[in-house]
Amino acid sequence: AERWRDGGVGGYHCYVDGGGDDASNDGSVCRRDDDDDGTLLTTPAGWNALTLVLREPSVVKFVKYVSAAAPGSRWDVSYEYKVCD
């Protein structure tokens, strides 16, 4: 379980600044400045965990690759909804 927590084998959720209001929500497309990697939040993989994140439309979410050295497989259930004002 420690290898999951330190991020060494990947599998964590990463939220990055997509670069403005016109940013794509596709995790493969990300605009970054040279001075900053844009990472806003990372959440490690964990057993039986619930993570709730409120994010702006310009924030991009992706899951870091899972290394072959990972101690097991990884399953995610994800749901997105709009918050009404």
Side-chain angles (χ1 to χ4, degrees):
E2 181 63 32
R3 289 196 288 175
W4 285 116
R5 271 180 284 199
D6 69 11
V9 294
Y12 57 86
H13 286 262
C14 187
Y15 297 85
V16 296
D17 182 5
D21 293 334
D22 62 343
S24 168
N25 276 330
D26 179 2
S28 66
V29 178
C30 179
R31 297 177 189 87
R32 297 191 303 185
D33 295 333
D34 291 336
D35 299 337
D36 185 15
D37 69 357
T39 301
L40 303 172
L41 173 70
T42 58
T43 57
W47 175 253
N48 199 23
L50 172 66
T51 304
L52 299 175
V53 177
L54 177 64
R55 62 186 173 110
E56 297 293 324
S58 64
V59 174
V60 179
K61 175 188 103 169
F62 69 93
V63 176
K64 179 71 172 173
Y65 71 91
V66 178
S67 168
S73 61
R74 176 194 164 99
W75 288 75
D76 284 346
V77 176
S78 181
Y79 182 77
E80 292 186 24
Y81 60 93
K82 291 187 178 194
V83 177
C84 298
D85 292 331

